[in-house]
Amino acid sequence: MDYYKRFADAILKNRLKVSGAVLIQGSKGCGKTETAIQAAKSIARLDVDNDIRIRMEIDPGSVLTGNTPRLIDEWQEYPSVWNYIRREVDDRKKKGLFILTGSANPEERARLHSGAGRFSVMKMRPMSMFERGWSTGEVSLESLVRGKTPKSQTPEFDLDKLIQKMILGGWPGLLGADSHDALIFLQDYIKLLAEIDISRVANIKRDPLKVMRLLQSLARNISTEASVTSLAKDTGNVTDETITGYLDALERLMAVEPLPAWSPHIRSADTLRKAPKHHFTDPSLAIGALGLSAQKLHADLNYLGLLFESMVIRDLRIYADVNDGRLFHYRDSRGLEIDTIAEYPDGTWAAFEIKMGFGAQDEAAANLLKFSEKINQERMGAPSALTVITANGFACRRKDNVNVVPLSVLTA
C-alpha cells in the first residue's frame, strides 16, 4: 500500500534537525511506525524481534547500534532504553540520532533521568480529512489565523457519505476499507482496550466489563463535560477514584484525549469552568464502543452533531500542531460556551464554533461575537479569527467578519 503523506512528516523532519532523539507519541494504529520509517535509516522493533529482546537482556546498548536516524519501535516495552539513548545522545553530541515510537506512555517514574535538551516530543493522531483525501484544502488553518479571508467552491455534500467517513475515521489500516470492515475494526479495537491494553499499561488487572462500560459512557458523553462522578454512576458500582485511574490509563494509551478548558482574562466577574470536554483520539472509537451502524447514526442527528464536533476537533488538533498550536474549549458560569480555541506560542488565538449545518451559522456567529466582547483584549489581544466550521456550504467571510468554513475544504 502506498504511503499517504502526513503533516507529521514535516514536523518529524524539523524535530530531528534540533534534537538528538525524537519521541513520537500516538494511539495504537494511528501510523506512527510508518511515518517514522520514512525518516529512519535502521530499525529496532522492541515488541516483536526476539533477537532484540535477547540483546536488551544482555547488552541493551547494542540495540542502539545502526545507521541513524535509528528507529526504536515500541520503546515502552523496555523503558530502561530511554536512559541508554539519553547517554548516547550525550556521548555522540549529534542531532537526529534516534526516533522512538510507542502506543502507550510509561509512568514518569520509568524515566530515571530527564530527557530535557536531548529529546523532542511530538504527538501523532489518526489521519485528518485532508490527509485522507476528503478535503480540497482550499482554506488553511494557518491562513485563517493570519486573518486571511477564506474562499472556496461549494464542495459536494452527502450526509450518508459524511457518516461513512466518521465510521472509517482516520485510521491508516482502513484505507480502502468499507463501513462494514471498519465497524469490525472499531469493535475489536475497543474490545482489546478493555480486555488487554488498559491492564497492561496500568500494571494492574482491570475489570474488562467496567472498562467497557466506561468507554461506552465516554462515547455517550462525547464532546461534553460530563463529570467523573457522572461517569462513575453511568459505569455502575465504581468509585470516582477508580474512574480516575481508568481515565489516566486510557489517556496514557492515547485512546482518549480530553480537550482542556481555556483560562483567559475576561471583562466580567463570571467564573470559568475548568472541566475538560471528553473526546476520543478519533470519534470513530465512540461508534465502535456503542456498536452503532450507519443507519443508527442517521436516525440520531443530535448525536451525529456531537460526533461531527469531535471530528472537527481531531482535525484542528492535527492542523494546529504544524505551528505548535494548542486547542482548548471555553465555558463560563453564565453558560456561554465556545467549542474550541486555538492558541499559539506567540499569544495569537482564534475561536471556533462547530455546527453540522450551514444554516446554523447565524446563531454560532452571534455566540462568537458575544464571546469576543467578553474577553479582555487589552490583556489577551484581539482574536485573529472568529470562525464557524460546518459540514456543508462554502467558505466565506460574513458581513460581521465571522468566517464560515466547511470541514471538507480545510487543511493546515
Side-chain angles (χ1 to χ4, degrees):
M1 184 178 293
D2 293 337
Y3 177 75
Y4 279 53
K5 290 185 177 180
R6 311 285 294 271
F7 290 112
D9 295 328
I11 296 174
L12 175 58
K13 183 179 179 180
N14 290 333
R15 298 292 180 90
L16 287 169
K17 290 179 180 178
V18 299
S19 300
V22 178
L23 169 60
I24 305 177
Q25 299 176 327
S27 58
K28 179 175 61 179
C30 76
K32 301 178 302 298
T33 300
E34 285 303 313
T35 290
I37 285 173
Q38 308 309 307
K41 297 294 178 61
S42 64
I43 306 173
R45 299 182 184 272
L46 269 58
D47 59 333
V48 295
D49 190 324
N50 287 329
D51 180 59
I52 293 291
R53 292 182 177 184
I54 294 170
R55 289 166 64 187
M56 281 299 302
E57 297 294 333
I58 299 173
D59 182 13
S62 68
V63 174
L64 307 183
T65 301
N67 293 332
T68 58
R70 182 161 174 79
L71 169 58
I72 311 298
D73 192 31
E74 297 297 346
W75 76 275
Q76 79 281 349
E77 294 292 327
Y78 294 92
S80 61
V81 78
W82 176 275
N83 289 324
Y84 287 100
I85 292 174
R86 179 187 62 82
R87 294 192 190 110
E88 284 292 314
V89 171
D90 284 346
D91 291 344
R92 299 190 200 180
K93 295 180 172 57
K94 292 182 179 180
K95 308 298 184 184
L97 294 174
F98 301 102
I99 305 170
L100 291 76
T101 59
S103 299
N105 291 326
E107 294 182 19
E108 287 301 319
R109 67 170 180 262
R111 302 182 188 181
L112 303 181
H113 296 280
S114 171
R118 307 169 182 95
F119 289 80
S120 179
V121 180
M122 59 175 281
K123 182 171 285 188
M124 273 192 70
R125 300 176 177 87
M127 302 169 78
S128 65
M129 287 272 286
F130 181 78
E131 290 168 318
R132 283 295 309 257
W134 293 336
S135 168
T136 64
E138 293 169 85
V139 179
S140 72
L141 177 60
E142 182 182 10
S143 69
L144 286 174
V145 171
R146 290 202 316 262
K148 186 175 179 180
T149 299
K151 295 180 181 179
S152 79
Q153 299 296 315
T154 303
E156 178 185 349
F157 176 77
D158 182 299
L159 185 59
D160 290 330
K161 289 182 179 178
L162 176 64
I163 291 173
Q164 183 183 38
K165 289 167 183 171
M166 285 183 179
I167 293 172
L168 290 170
W171 306 103
L174 292 179
L175 291 168
D178 59 22
S179 296
H180 178 265
D181 293 340
L183 289 170
I184 294 173
F185 169 90
L186 295 170
Q187 289 172 16
D188 287 346
Y189 195 112
I190 290 294
K191 185 177 180 180
L192 286 172
L193 274 178
E195 295 184 357
I196 298 174
D197 294 341
I198 195 168
S199 295
R200 175 175 55 83
V201 76
N203 293 318
I204 301 173
K205 180 62 178 175
R206 301 294 193 182
D207 185 333
L209 182 58
K210 290 178 180 177
V211 176
M212 180 63 78
R213 287 175 179 167
L214 172 60
L215 290 166
Q216 291 169 342
S217 181
L218 288 169
R220 284 190 291 269
N221 290 286
I222 197 167
S223 301
T224 75
E225 302 165 67
S227 67
V228 169
T229 299
S230 176
L231 293 174
K233 187 178 298 185
D234 200 20
T235 300
N237 196 31
V238 291
T239 64
D240 288 8
E241 183 180 8
T242 297
I243 291 298
T244 299
Y246 285 1
L247 289 173
D248 177 68
L250 289 170
E251 286 185 41
R252 286 171 54 200
L253 287 163
M254 290 159 283
V256 299
E257 187 176 2
L259 186 67
W262 199 44
S263 299
H265 297 282
I266 58 177
R267 300 179 191 276
S268 69
D270 297 343
T271 57
L272 301 179
R273 306 296 177 137
K274 297 181 180 180
K277 274 192 175 184
H278 300 294
H279 290 281
F280 288 89
T281 189
D282 193 290
S284 62
L285 293 180
I287 296 172
L290 296 175
L292 301 176
S293 63
Q295 291 77 13
K296 289 179 180 178
L297 290 170
H298 205 292
D300 190 346
L301 294 183
N302 287 331
Y303 185 68
L304 190 66
L306 294 174
L307 285 176
F308 178 71
E309 179 179 334
S310 193
M311 187 180 187
V312 173
I313 295 299
R314 177 202 67 196
D315 281 14
L316 286 178
R317 278 173 159 157
I318 294 168
Y319 301 152
D321 274 349
V322 173
N323 292 298
D324 297 319
R326 296 182 62 201
L327 262 58
F328 303 87
H329 79 93
Y330 175 94
R331 185 179 179 88
D332 63 32
S333 56
R334 291 184 182 271
L336 179 60
E337 181 177 359
I338 296 298
D339 292 326
T340 193
I341 293 93
E343 187 176 55
Y344 293 85
D346 65 358
T348 300
W349 63 277
F352 301 84
E353 281 280 71
I354 302 167
K355 300 294 181 183
M356 198 162 66
F358 189 75
Q361 62 176 281
D362 288 345
E363 177 185 353
N367 212 38
L368 285 166
L369 292 169
K370 181 179 179 181
F371 163 73
S372 178
E373 292 175 359
K374 177 169 281 193
I375 298 299
N376 186 335
Q377 296 185 13
E378 292 180 359
R379 302 186 68 175
M380 298 297 300
S384 60
L386 300 174
T387 303
V388 182
I389 298 182
T390 63
N392 58 358
F394 56 93
C396 63
R397 175 164 294 170
R398 296 161 43 105
K399 291 182 179 179
D400 56 12
N401 288 322
V402 174
N403 303 315
V404 180
V405 179
L407 181 61
S408 55
V409 305
L410 194 59
T411 184

